[in-house]
Amino acid sequence: TPVSDSLETLTPTTEPESSIPSWIKNNAGWWAQELIDDGSFVSGIQWLISNDVMNIPPTEQAADSGSDVIPDWIKNNAGWWSNGMIPDEAFVSGLQWLISNGIMKIS
């Protein structure tokens, strides 16, 4: 068999760095599977927003809606997002909905 004198160039493939840390995607997946509670999930999101790790476009916060129940469609989105099935923007729009409807408070 002939020996090739050419060198194969290996180019490392790197994922573009996401603006949202992977640990929050883990939390979203766990929350969607009901392995962590709503409060733990919301606390992580609040920390990310208050520390400017995740930017939520301006959203008017509603007064307390009287309900702290997070709809199932938000939990479905979190699961899909954690698996890379929907983009960050779709997940963020759900968070905006939670804020604008007074379900999630950002202090």
Side-chain angles (χ1 to χ4, degrees), residues 9-15:
T9 303
L10 298 176
T11 306
T13 57
T14 56
E15 292 286 324

Side-chain angles (χ1 to χ4, degrees), residues 61-95:
Q61 284 193 63
D64 190 357
S65 67
S67 171
D68 58 356
V69 176
I70 299 174
D72 288 341
W73 67 268
I74 296 282
K75 197 172 274 194
N76 289 338
N77 277 2
W80 295 331
W81 176 68
S82 73
N83 290 319
M85 296 168 66
I86 63 171
D88 290 354
E89 295 78 25
F91 180 67
V92 167
S93 71
L95 297 178

Side-chain angles (χ1 to χ4, degrees), residues 22-43:
S22 61
W23 67 267
I24 197 64
K25 283 193 176 190
N26 290 338
N27 278 1
W30 294 332
W31 177 63
Q33 296 172 37
E34 298 187 7
L35 299 174
I36 63 172
D37 63 14
D38 291 356
S40 297
F41 175 72
V42 170
S43 292

Side-chain angles (χ1 to χ4, degrees), residues 2-19:
V3 176
S4 173
D5 289 331
S6 65
L7 292 175
E8 184 179 337
T9 303
L10 298 176
T11 306
T13 57
T14 56
E15 292 286 324
E17 189 172 331
S18 175
S19 60

